[in-house]
Amino acid sequence: MSEGHESIKPRRVSQAEMLAIWCVLLVIATCGGSLAFRSQHVGVGLWGSSPASQTQTQPTQQETVSKQASGAGFPSPIKFMTVLSGTYRISCQMMAGAVHNRIPMEVIGWHSSEIGVSNFKRKEDKLKKKIPLLYEEIKTLDDNTILMFFDGGDVLWQSGPEAIYQAYLQLVNQQQQVIFSAERNCWIKSLPKETCKDWPQIPGSPNRWLNSGCWIGRLGEVKKLLKHVNEEVEKITFETCPKCGDQALFGRAFREGWNQTIQLDYMNNICQNLILTQNDFCSSPDADGKVRNCVTNSVPALFHFNGNPQNPALRPNVWLEKMWWYGKALPAAATVNINGEDKFLQEICPDLKYTGKLPSGPIPTTKLSLPKRASSSSLAPVAYQTALVCVAGALLILMLVCRGRRKTSRLLPPTE
């Protein structure tokens, strides 16, 4: 060593210091594992959301949805809509199923002076008024909105928006398509010069033809399709085509080049048309108490009692007892949206079973944004707090170690 420089002796790390270092590492590892678990299982990372939740495509429009149960609304990425001019067939049971399954449905055309109270029994009402009314209702809505339209007087629900949305995403497969239900009956033959031949058929499904009693799609494509069908409606006279209806027109559109826009739900993942079905369904329900189609191995969200089912066991009054919610009372404050205004369901369908008397006072409404990632916003502050606690704990341990070293150095005798 050169003169004037003291030699520096290496100092061993004491056991206390080594223990402190291990404590710091343990705190950091524990906190890191906690944040990783939150990010993986609930979509919340250090900054409140995971990359998956940021890249996932979701609608951005906010919808005003009615409260479907007492005290809580249900945010849905789908706008559910039907046309009804009054209670008809099993429309009250349909609304009850919507409430039990948390479906924020909207009814248009109710007691409208333009359509009367015919409930669209005549073909003229179904074709000349139903589709134009629907088109006028949706043409100003955001193109990214997902709309599910369904017949109001002959359907029953057994699943909610979550199951329908997941089935829809799997069917469209990143494509902008409108999904129509499929059935065994060929109604397009009601149009002149149309044939039921040469329709596509997929293995494992007896359903081959389009049914318009249930369909779902983004409004950007729906508007184009309805505009085309409306133009076809104007060309039709009932003298030349007495059996023409919107279903036949949608079917012809599918045959005439709209097959890139229209896709069929061949496996009944969303809608099940019961016409011409026989023994398609399992004798016992699945674990959730829902009816399964054993031919297509699906659990339809909606059952459509179109036509007159040949099997008496498939008729609405019998089928109602198979619904998981059958016999359950409805919340006293259950509502349904009628012509843009929330109404108490008890006022519309007083014969259904409710938990109490009709509430007094105005109906509260709740404006809910469409869900992006479950629980991410509510759990984000917890992630921040966890990270801050980890950092504070590590700094505290280091401060204690440094303070202990200073006290120890004062007690040691000076070295030469």
Side-chain angles (χ1 to χ4, degrees), residues 234-248:
E234 297 299 324
K235 301 175 184 178
I236 289 178
T237 62
F238 288 94
E239 289 75 17
T240 58
C241 187
K243 293 185 178 181
C244 287
D246 62 284
Q247 179 166 303

Side-chain angles (χ1 to χ4, degrees), residues 72-87:
F74 189 84
S76 168
I78 304 172
K79 189 179 187 70
F80 296 88
M81 187 175 292
T82 190
V83 175
L84 275 173
S85 58
T87 54

Side-chain angles (χ1 to χ4, degrees), residues 147-219:
L147 174 71
M148 181 172 177
F149 181 83
F150 54 94
D151 285 354
D154 59 352
V155 301
L156 290 174
W157 299 95
Q158 80 161 353
S159 294
E162 308 99 317
I164 296 171
Y165 185 54
Q166 292 303 318
Y168 165 75
L169 291 180
Q170 293 177 3
L171 287 169
V172 295
N173 193 23
Q174 305 300 324
Q175 301 181 41
Q176 299 297 322
Q177 293 178 318
V178 184
I179 308 298
F180 279 78
S181 63
E183 67 175 5
R184 299 181 182 186
N185 183 46
C186 180
W187 188 245
I188 193 174
K189 63 185 178 183
S190 63
L191 285 175
K193 299 181 181 179
E194 291 293 345
T195 177
C196 295
K197 299 178 181 179
D198 303 325
W199 276 66
Q201 189 169 12
I202 65 172
S205 173
N207 306 301
R208 191 174 179 182
W209 294 280
L210 178 147
N211 182 281
S212 64
C214 170
W215 49 264
I216 179 173
R218 290 197 181 273
L219 282 182

Side-chain angles (χ1 to χ4, degrees), residues 28-202:
I28 295 175
T30 303
C31 294
S34 175
L35 291 174
F37 177 84
R38 293 177 186 278
S39 178
Q40 179 179 0
H41 293 277
V42 294
V44 180
L46 181 60
W47 308 114
S49 62
S50 66
S53 66
Q54 297 172 1
T55 58
Q56 189 176 15
T57 303
Q58 296 285 359
T60 57
Q61 185 188 22
Q62 287 190 334
E63 301 288 350
T64 302
V65 297
S66 62
K67 289 188 174 184
Q68 298 300 307
S70 178
F74 189 84
S76 168
I78 304 172
K79 189 179 187 70
F80 296 88
M81 187 175 292
T82 190
V83 175
L84 275 173
S85 58
T87 54
Y88 170 57
R89 295 183 67 182
I90 58 170
S91 58
C92 282
Q93 288 76 14
M94 177 274 294
M95 295 181 196
V99 172
H100 283 298
N101 287 283
R102 305 284 185 166
I103 292 175
M105 58 165 287
E106 302 177 28
V107 178
I108 62 173
W110 190 266
H111 292 176
S112 171
S113 59
E114 296 180 0
I115 61 176
V117 291
S118 65
N119 285 301
F120 306 100
K121 293 179 181 179
R122 300 184 305 163
K123 293 293 182 182
E124 292 88 341
D125 291 333
K126 287 185 176 180
L127 187 62
K128 294 290 187 179
K129 297 178 180 178
K130 172 182 166 183
I131 296 300
L133 179 67
L134 176 61
Y135 181 66
E136 287 297 316
E137 184 73 20
I138 68 170
K139 68 179 184 180
T140 59
L141 298 178
D142 190 288
D143 285 352
N144 288 322
T145 301
I146 302 173
L147 174 71
M148 181 172 177
F149 181 83
F150 54 94
D151 285 354
D154 59 352
V155 301
L156 290 174
W157 299 95
Q158 80 161 353
S159 294
E162 308 99 317
I164 296 171
Y165 185 54
Q166 292 303 318
Y168 165 75
L169 291 180
Q170 293 177 3
L171 287 169
V172 295
N173 193 23
Q174 305 300 324
Q175 301 181 41
Q176 299 297 322
Q177 293 178 318
V178 184
I179 308 298
F180 279 78
S181 63
E183 67 175 5
R184 299 181 182 186
N185 183 46
C186 180
W187 188 245
I188 193 174
K189 63 185 178 183
S190 63
L191 285 175
K193 299 181 181 179
E194 291 293 345
T195 177
C196 295
K197 299 178 181 179
D198 303 325
W199 276 66
Q201 189 169 12
I202 65 172

